[in-house]
Amino acid sequence: MSGLILPPGQGRKLITKAQEVTFKATEADGSSVSIFEVVVPPGFDVGAHVHGEAQEFFYVLEGELELLAFEPTKRTAQNWHEWESPEGDRMVRATPGASMFVPPNTPHAFRNASTEPVRMLFQCLPSPVHELYFEEIAKIWSSGARVDPDAVQEMRRRYDVHQITPLRYEPPPAPADRPAAAAGA
């Protein structure tokens, strides 16, 4: 196949325990917008962050994500889940068909608090900032070594990702690891 027509499931993939990213359109294809299909595993929280230059667009294809895109009345350093805007906006539970546009300098975050993977379409302008970011973070997560949070923070700074709350990946326990329900409960 030639051109930029990709059959379902096609594109260069970066797969780690923390997410799966399939490149759909990139700077190498002549695109000024990077377009990715992303699978977000249960327990993944990107943490609230800001981009000084980049614009982003998220579109939920399957599953449910918690989304946030506003400046809160008060930023907290550990958790964005309870943030509220001056207008009373709070985090939104987004289901298939929901979208989020993020202009530059807007705090934003997403989290998969469900027990199922979420699939979303993600676009970032300008290209190739997030392409390079995904490539480098995939190398870090795939190394098998303990992830150095300071190294990740420095890498994120280089790619215009100014972290406000921590990135977290805390997968839910496997069914065999969950405590059994109490009898009669």
Side-chain angles (χ1 to χ4, degrees):
M1 180 152 293
S2 63
L4 293 178
I5 299 170
L6 293 174
Q10 296 298 302
R12 187 165 68 94
K13 292 186 186 295
L14 298 175
I15 301 173
T16 71
K17 65 181 180 181
Q19 65 187 31
E20 177 181 316
V21 178
T22 304
F23 291 59
K24 296 298 187 176
T26 65
E27 182 181 59
D29 300 315
S31 180
S32 60
V33 178
S34 300
I35 304 172
F36 312 94
E37 183 176 319
V38 178
V39 177
V40 182
F44 184 83
D45 180 344
V46 75
H49 59 282
V50 173
H51 306 290
E53 306 278 327
Q55 298 179 49
E56 295 179 331
F57 179 77
F58 301 83
Y59 186 89
V60 179
L61 298 166
E62 294 174 0
E64 180 179 286
L65 280 178
E66 294 177 345
L67 302 175
L68 174 135
F70 57 76
E71 182 63 58
T73 54
K74 180 182 177 191
R75 289 184 181 187
T76 53
Q78 288 303 310
N79 190 324
W80 58 269
H81 308 140
E82 301 300 321
W83 285 7
E84 187 172 335
S85 77
E87 297 78 26
D89 297 325
R90 297 182 65 90
M91 175 253 323
V92 171
R93 283 185 170 60
T95 55
S99 65
M100 174 173 75
F101 171 69
V102 182
N105 297 306
T106 302
H108 59 287
F110 66 84
R111 172 174 76 153
N112 181 354
S114 78
T115 58
E116 299 296 323
V118 174
R119 198 167 59 91
M120 70 175 172
L121 185 67
F122 169 61
Q123 300 178 358
C124 182
L125 174 76
S127 197
V129 173
H130 270 64
E131 297 164 33
L132 299 171
Y133 170 81
F134 281 137
E135 289 169 351
E136 193 165 334
I137 196 81
K139 285 179 190 172
I140 290 170
W141 283 330
S142 298
S143 71
R146 184 182 165 277
V147 174
D148 176 1
D150 294 332
V152 171
Q153 185 170 348
E154 173 54 32
M155 184 232 18
R156 294 185 106 196
R157 261 192 230 111
R158 283 187 279 116
Y159 294 114
D160 190 30
V161 180
H162 308 281
Q163 204 68 31
I164 302 168
T165 66
L167 179 149
R168 292 185 172 97
Y169 177 49
E170 300 166 355
D177 298 338
R178 293 185 190 138

